[in-house]
Amino acid sequence: MSNPIPNQLLSPLDLGSLTLPNRIVMAPLTRARAGERRVPNDLMAEYYAQRASAGLIITEATVVSRQGIGWTNTPGIYSDEMTAGWKAVVDAIHNEGGRVFLQLWHTGRASHSDFHGGELPVAPSAIAIEGDGIHTPSGKKAYETPRALELNELVGVVSSYKRAAENARTAGFDGVEIHSANGYLLDQFLQSKTNHRTDSYGGSVEYRYRLLGEVVDAVTSVWPANRVGIRIAPNGSFNDMGSPDYREQFLYTARRLDQYGLAYLHVMDGTGFGFHNLGPAMTLRDFRNVFSGPLMGNVEYTRESADAAITNENADLIAFGRPYISNPDLVERFENGWPLAEPADMSLWYSSGAHGYTDFPPYRETAVQA
């Protein structure tokens, strides 16, 4: 028997000047289908268009510059060809009635010299990731100690985000999300574990926030603030993250971001993606106390817990990641109480071609025979 979800998760939301028909967000999902040239393609357009019933789609992480590369076959947004490729994807989503933000990404130390012609990846400080290695174009290799960015290089980093934001407007996106989570460059600057700088970009919660603030300033000079979201991961250990002063740092960051009138703050509040165990997990309620704009929760939500978070006014939106891999019609399944498809095997997540990507069928409710 169908068990329809209560109405809150499926209720509309005005996100600045953008009206969402529901509060179900397709979370950013790296799927590595862009090929070696990192240009979005027709297969990607089909994949996103299949999922256009989401209230909002946030694209997979998309590098803002060559320097930002850290995964094989992930897309970029730093060339005219990439911008044109993304335009075709956006058009396909819009043709199905969807809305889409582009996630802006720089991997920082979560990269390898194989991606950069032998040059080391960059970071706030020369501190290597402790982990089992990274997949590079020439195979899996150990993490390297990155090169600390010079003070005079940071203006170029900020400029790369601005150019990417401009290209996203050209491609027709509805907005952008700045990726400041999961141990990538902006998160590395935020956290005391990875930022040991003694200049004006390190040493205190205020100074560690500075690069993110400059990037937000640059991106909101291109886009209205209510078309810009920010993603943070205060509880995360992915990419060897987690800082003793995490609570102080992330509450300060949220207070500063609250001044912009952003589209939303995207908080990875769950612990299922890796938890640093340095204290109690930060909750959406923690952020509701310091951030007055829309809040988006993420990590291991079910339709019931998502609806409860919205009903209790802890969240305004909930992002679903892995369920969207094998359920292109996730909204319709939630709306009708239909069962979810079996989770996709992890071997398919970053493979190539249509299999495990665009070949998951929508649900067809079987008629009961009298």
Side-chain angles (χ1 to χ4, degrees), residues 71-101:
W71 279 67
T72 57
N73 301 322
T74 55
I77 189 65
Y78 54 84
S79 74
D80 291 344
E81 187 179 16
M82 293 168 177
T83 303
W86 272 122
K87 185 178 187 309
V89 174
V90 171
D91 288 348
I93 295 167
H94 286 167
N95 287 342
E96 293 297 323
R99 296 136 301 277
V100 57
F101 278 29

Side-chain angles (χ1 to χ4, degrees), residues 26-46:
M26 178 179 167
L29 292 164
T30 294
R31 303 302 309 278
R33 260 50 175 212
E36 293 182 3
R37 290 169 39 245
R38 303 185 181 277
V39 176
N41 51 52
D42 291 345
L43 186 64
M44 291 170 61
E46 180 183 359

Side-chain angles (χ1 to χ4, degrees), residues 8-338:
Q8 292 302 310
L9 188 59
L10 294 165
S11 65
L13 176 69
D14 288 331
L15 203 66
S17 56
L18 190 67
T19 298
L20 310 185
N22 60 69
R23 294 153 186 257
I24 299 167
V25 177
M26 178 179 167
L29 292 164
T30 294
R31 303 302 309 278
R33 260 50 175 212
E36 293 182 3
R37 290 169 39 245
R38 303 185 181 277
V39 176
N41 51 52
D42 291 345
L43 186 64
M44 291 170 61
E46 180 183 359
Y47 166 78
Y48 282 110
Q50 288 174 343
R51 291 153 176 82
S53 61
L56 178 67
I57 291 172
I58 307 171
T59 71
E60 62 209 276
T62 301
V63 288
V64 298
S65 65
R66 292 184 185 277
Q67 186 191 72
I69 294 170
W71 279 67
T72 57
N73 301 322
T74 55
I77 189 65
Y78 54 84
S79 74
D80 291 344
E81 187 179 16
M82 293 168 177
T83 303
W86 272 122
K87 185 178 187 309
V89 174
V90 171
D91 288 348
I93 295 167
H94 286 167
N95 287 342
E96 293 297 323
R99 296 136 301 277
V100 57
F101 278 29
L102 177 72
Q103 191 186 63
L104 304 175
W105 187 37
H106 189 309
T107 64
R109 72 171 186 164
S111 186
H112 191 276
S113 58
D114 280 5
F115 290 106
H116 305 289
E119 296 290 329
L120 287 172
V122 299
S125 303
I127 303 169
I129 291 176
E130 293 186 11
D132 65 354
I134 181 173
H135 294 278
T136 82
S138 53
K140 191 172 183 178
K141 297 190 176 181
Y143 285 108
E144 300 168 312
T145 300
R147 176 180 67 81
L149 283 158
E150 299 290 339
L151 189 63
N152 62 8
E153 293 181 280
L154 296 180
V155 66
V157 172
V158 174
S159 294
S160 68
Y161 278 91
K162 183 176 182 180
R163 286 192 299 272
E166 291 168 343
N167 289 343
R169 290 209 77 164
T170 299
F173 281 96
D174 298 297
V176 294
E177 178 178 282
I178 298 169
H179 195 349
S180 185
N182 298 348
Y184 297 116
L185 184 71
L186 296 178
D187 193 24
Q188 293 161 25
F189 268 86
L190 276 181
Q191 296 210 39
S192 59
K193 181 173 185 177
T194 44
N195 184 344
H196 292 186
R197 299 177 76 94
T198 57
D199 58 21
S200 56
Y201 288 85
S204 68
V205 293
E206 296 86 359
Y207 285 169
R208 289 196 300 271
Y209 165 82
R210 183 175 176 182
L211 184 64
L212 175 58
E214 291 180 354
V215 168
V216 176
D217 287 342
V219 171
T220 55
S221 75
V222 176
W223 286 88
N226 63 11
R227 294 297 183 97
V228 177
I230 313 289
R231 191 188 207 198
I232 59 173
N235 302 320
S237 62
F238 188 74
N239 278 326
D240 189 26
M241 297 303 288
S243 304
D245 56 353
Y246 68 101
R247 183 171 295 271
E248 180 186 8
Q249 184 66 60
F250 284 98
L251 291 178
Y252 175 84
T253 297
R255 288 188 184 97
R256 291 293 300 269
L257 294 174
D258 191 44
Q259 300 171 16
Y260 287 92
L262 296 170
Y264 58 80
L265 181 63
H266 181 175
V267 181
M268 297 185 71
D269 59 304
T271 58
F273 196 65
F275 180 39
H276 52 56
N277 285 303
L278 295 172
M282 297 191 74
T283 66
L284 292 177
R285 177 55 61 185
D286 291 328
F287 287 97
R288 184 67 89 193
N289 291 333
V290 297
F291 186 83
S292 60
L295 278 179
M296 183 187 301
N298 190 348
V299 184
E300 294 192 319
Y301 277 92
T302 65
R303 64 174 194 160
E304 292 82 10
S305 63
D307 190 76
I310 295 171
T311 299
N312 295 333
E313 300 184 346
N314 291 327
D316 301 282
L317 299 146
I318 298 295
F320 294 88
R322 294 174 185 177
Y324 256 116
I325 295 177
S326 55
N327 296 277
D329 57 339
L330 187 67
V331 170
E332 290 79 8
R333 291 179 189 245
F334 281 176
E335 187 174 23
N336 293 285
W338 296 335

